[in-house]
Coordinates of all heavy atoms in Angstrom, one line a residue:
L645 N 239.7 -6.2 -66.0 CA 239.0 -6.3 -67.3 C 239.5 -7.6 -68.0 O 238.6 -8.3 -68.6 CB 239.4 -5.1 -68.1 CG 238.6 -4.9 -69.4 CD1 237.1 -4.9 -69.2 CD2 239.0 -3.6 -70.1
P646 N 240.8 -7.9 -68.1 CA 241.1 -9.2 -68.8 C 240.5 -10.4 -68.1 O 240.1 -11.4 -68.8 CB 242.7 -9.2 -68.7 CG 243.0 -7.8 -68.5 CD 241.9 -7.2 -67.7
I647 N 240.4 -10.4 -66.8 CA 239.8 -11.5 -66.1 C 238.3 -11.7 -66.4 O 237.8 -12.8 -66.7 CB 240.0 -11.4 -64.5 CG1 241.5 -11.4 -64.2 CG2 239.2 -12.5 -63.8 CD1 241.8 -11.1 -62.7
A648 N 237.6 -10.5 -66.5 CA 236.2 -10.6 -66.8 C 236.0 -11.1 -68.3 O 235.1 -11.9 -68.5 CB 235.6 -9.2 -66.6
L649 N 236.8 -10.6 -69.2 CA 236.7 -11.1 -70.6 C 237.0 -12.5 -70.7 O 236.4 -13.3 -71.5 CB 237.7 -10.2 -71.5 CG 237.3 -8.8 -71.7 CD1 238.4 -8.0 -72.5 CD2 236.0 -8.6 -72.3
F650 N 238.1 -13.0 -70.0 CA 238.4 -14.4 -70.0 C 237.3 -15.3 -69.5 O 237.0 -16.4 -70.0 CB 239.7 -14.7 -69.3 CG 240.1 -16.1 -69.3 CD1 240.7 -16.7 -70.4 CD2 239.9 -16.9 -68.1 CE1 241.1 -18.0 -70.3 CE2 240.3 -18.2 -68.1 CZ 240.9 -18.8 -69.2
A651 N 236.6 -14.8 -68.4 CA 235.5 -15.5 -67.8 C 234.3 -15.6 -68.8 O 233.7 -16.7 -69.0 CB 235.1 -14.9 -66.5
V652 N 234.0 -14.5 -69.5 CA 232.9 -14.5 -70.5 C 233.2 -15.5 -71.7 O 232.4 -16.2 -72.2 CB 232.6 -13.1 -71.0 CG1 231.6 -13.1 -72.1 CG2 232.1 -12.3 -69.8
I653 N 234.5 -15.4 -72.1 CA 234.9 -16.3 -73.3 C 234.8 -17.7 -72.9 O 234.4 -18.6 -73.7 CB 236.3 -15.9 -73.7 CG1 236.2 -14.4 -74.3 CG2 236.8 -16.9 -74.8 CD1 237.6 -13.9 -74.7
S654 N 235.3 -18.1 -71.7 CA 235.3 -19.5 -71.3 C 233.9 -20.0 -71.0 O 233.6 -21.2 -71.3 CB 236.2 -19.7 -70.0 OG 235.6 -18.9 -69.0
D655 N 233.0 -19.2 -70.4 CA 231.6 -19.6 -70.2 C 230.7 -18.4 -70.3 O 230.8 -17.5 -69.5 CB 231.5 -20.2 -68.8 CG 230.2 -20.9 -68.5 OD1 229.3 -20.7 -69.3 OD2 230.1 -21.6 -67.5
E656 N 229.8 -18.4 -71.3 CA 229.0 -17.2 -71.5 C 228.0 -17.0 -70.4 O 227.5 -15.9 -70.3 CB 228.2 -17.4 -72.8 CG 227.3 -18.6 -72.9 CD 226.6 -18.8 -74.2 OE1 227.0 -18.1 -75.1 OE2 225.7 -19.6 -74.2
R657 N 227.7 -18.0 -69.6 CA 226.8 -17.8 -68.4 C 227.4 -16.9 -67.3 O 226.7 -16.4 -66.4 CB 226.4 -19.1 -67.9 CG 225.5 -20.0 -68.8 CD 225.3 -21.3 -68.2 NE 226.5 -22.1 -68.1 CZ 226.6 -23.3 -67.6 NH1 225.5 -23.9 -67.2 NH2 227.8 -23.9 -67.4
L658 N 228.7 -16.7 -67.4 CA 229.4 -15.9 -66.4 C 229.4 -14.4 -66.7 O 230.0 -13.6 -66.0 CB 230.9 -16.3 -66.2 CG 231.1 -17.8 -65.7 CD1 232.5 -18.1 -65.6 CD2 230.4 -17.9 -64.3
W659 N 228.7 -14.0 -67.8 CA 228.7 -12.6 -68.2 C 228.0 -11.7 -67.1 O 228.4 -10.6 -66.9 CB 228.0 -12.4 -69.5 CG 226.5 -12.6 -69.4 CD1 225.8 -13.7 -69.6 CD2 225.5 -11.5 -69.1 NE1 224.4 -13.5 -69.5 CE2 224.2 -12.2 -69.1 CE3 225.6 -10.2 -68.8 CZ2 223.1 -11.5 -68.9 CZ3 224.4 -9.5 -68.5 CH2 223.2 -10.2 -68.6
S660 N 227.0 -12.3 -66.4 CA 226.4 -11.5 -65.4 C 227.3 -11.3 -64.2 O 227.3 -10.2 -63.5 CB 225.1 -12.2 -64.9 OG 225.4 -13.5 -64.5
V661 N 228.1 -12.3 -63.9 CA 229.1 -12.1 -62.8 C 230.1 -11.1 -63.2 O 230.5 -10.2 -62.3 CB 229.8 -13.5 -62.5 CG1 230.8 -13.3 -61.4 CG2 228.7 -14.5 -62.1
S662 N 230.6 -11.1 -64.4 CA 231.6 -10.1 -64.8 C 231.0 -8.7 -64.8 O 231.6 -7.7 -64.3 CB 232.1 -10.4 -66.2 OG 232.7 -11.7 -66.3
F663 N 229.7 -8.6 -65.3 CA 229.1 -7.3 -65.3 C 228.8 -6.8 -63.9 O 229.0 -5.6 -63.6 CB 227.7 -7.4 -66.1 CG 227.0 -6.1 -66.1 CD1 227.3 -5.0 -66.9 CD2 225.9 -5.9 -65.3 CE1 226.6 -3.9 -67.0 CE2 225.2 -4.7 -65.3 CZ 225.6 -3.7 -66.1
G664 N 228.5 -7.7 -63.0 CA 228.3 -7.3 -61.6 C 229.5 -6.8 -61.0 O 229.5 -5.9 -60.1
A665 N 230.7 -7.5 -61.3 CA 231.9 -7.0 -60.7 C 232.3 -5.6 -61.2 O 232.8 -4.8 -60.4 CB 233.0 -8.0 -61.1
I666 N 232.0 -5.3 -62.4 CA 232.3 -4.0 -62.9 C 231.4 -3.0 -62.3 O 231.8 -1.9 -61.9 CB 232.1 -3.9 -64.5 CG1 233.1 -4.8 -65.2 CG2 232.2 -2.5 -65.0 CD1 233.0 -4.9 -66.7
V667 N 230.1 -3.3 -62.0 CA 229.2 -2.4 -61.4 C 229.7 -2.1 -59.9 O 229.6 -1.0 -59.4 CB 227.8 -3.0 -61.4 CG1 226.9 -2.1 -60.5 CG2 227.3 -3.0 -62.8
I668 N 230.2 -3.2 -59.3 CA 230.6 -3.0 -57.9 C 231.8 -2.1 -57.8 O 231.9 -1.2 -57.0 CB 231.0 -4.4 -57.3 CG1 229.7 -5.2 -57.1 CG2 231.7 -4.3 -56.0 CD1 230.0 -6.7 -56.7
V669 N 232.7 -2.2 -58.8 CA 233.9 -1.3 -58.8 C 233.5 0.1 -59.0 O 234.0 1.0 -58.4 CB 234.9 -1.8 -59.9 CG1 236.0 -0.8 -60.1 CG2 235.5 -3.2 -59.5
M670 N 232.5 0.3 -60.0 CA 232.0 1.7 -60.2 C 231.4 2.2 -59.0 O 231.5 3.4 -58.7 CB 231.1 1.6 -61.4 CG 231.7 1.2 -62.7 SD 233.0 2.4 -63.2 CE 232.0 3.9 -63.4

Side-chain angles (χ1 to χ4, degrees):
L645 189 60
I647 296 175
L649 291 175
F650 180 77
V652 172
I653 293 173
S654 61
D655 189 351
E656 61 181 10
R657 293 173 299 180
L658 297 178
W659 71 269
S660 58
V661 177
S662 301
F663 180 75
I666 296 176
V667 171
I668 291 174
V669 172
M670 295 298 298

